[in-house]
Amino acid sequence: MAQGEITVIHHLSIGIILGSTRPGRVSPQVGNWVKGIADKRADANYEIVDIAEFKLPFLGEAGAEEAVKKWSAKIESLDGFVFIVAEYNHSITGALKNALDLLRDEWHNKAAGIVSYGSTGGARAAEHLRGILAELQVADVRTHPTLNLFTDFENMAVFKPAAAHEQTVTQMLDQLIAWSGALKPLRKSPVGQA
Ligand SMILES: Cc1cc2nc3c(=O)[nH]c(=O)nc-3n(C[C@H](O)[C@H](O)[C@H](O)COP(=O)(O)O)c2cc1C
């Protein structure tokens, strides 16, 4: 770098997307825990993105265009995602699927990590999500923290994660940040927009 040259560092913006919306859900506890680990890294701007707050319509339902516009702007503004995934009937929630289906280009050429929970760590839901993300051109990283409803929660309601999970989250975030940054040039190019 030449003397006097100014380097502007653009931090990546990563959304921690809460994938469940029902009253009494545990996803905010899990999302806030991930955010706490992520914020210590100071390598990106991490924010909670709560699908419930957007009051999204079902795809095709009229009368909530403003809500979809806000959702679109939020996802467009992000470089990568951590999906907080609850397992419902061996898949992701209807709310998350609908939130994904409502947009298209806004997801493209970005990276994602998955943190899931359920009776078998939410693994079946997470694997479904990987298939969906492939169609949306979201590159999902390999490391995948799986939280068990019986051992990482008290009464399946109060989140008390085993200490070892923090290391897995850190590894997932390492991969997510690397891929979110690496894909940035594609997001600006005509190839990336195809
Ligand atoms: C409609 C529904 C279906 C569920 N199906 C499964 C399932 O197939 N596998 C599983 O491990 N847990 C299942 N559960 C349990 C959820 O994983 C558990 O309730 C979890 O707390 C849901 O996430 P949430 O609290 O963020 O909504 C189901 C829960 C609901 C409400």
Side-chain angles (χ1 to χ4, degrees), residues 19-39:
S20 64
T21 56
R22 71 177 180 98
R25 65 200 167 138
V26 301
S27 55
Q29 295 180 62
V30 179
N32 286 327
W33 169 72
V34 170
K35 188 172 184 322
I37 298 168
D39 282 343

Side-chain angles (χ1 to χ4, degrees), residues 41 141-144 165-177:
R41 303 163 58 90
V141 303
R142 180 179 61 189
T143 299
H144 162 204
H165 290 305
E166 179 155 348
Q167 201 188 343
T168 321
V169 171
T170 297
Q171 201 173 68
M172 177 273 289
L173 292 172
D174 288 345
Q175 296 168 2
L176 173 64
I177 292 302

